[in-house]
Amino acid sequence: MPERADLSTAWVAGAEIPADIFGDVDASDCPYDDPELAAAWRDGTEALRDWDGRADLTSNPHND
């Protein structure tokens, strides 16, 4: 089982992927083999984004 810090890092990595002009994020190239890290990364790609396509990193559910 991955550490909480590793899950947080995976979430942030997913959240940092820029959205396209339509607000969509390409989540097809997951860099993680571990299912839990991959799930955290995917959750990050689905984070709400503001008008310029950036995710709110404070909404990371893996932060203490």
Side-chain angles (χ1 to χ4, degrees), residues 9-52:
T9 300
W11 188 93
V12 169
E16 288 181 335
I17 296 173
D20 64 17
I21 195 165
F22 302 107
D24 297 325
V25 176
D26 180 10
S28 62
D29 292 330
C30 180
Y32 298 99
D33 292 330
D34 181 280
E36 291 182 56
L37 291 175
W41 183 83
R42 270 194 252 30
D43 287 347
T45 65
E46 295 172 358
L48 291 178
R49 297 172 188 268
D50 59 15
W51 63 271
D52 64 352

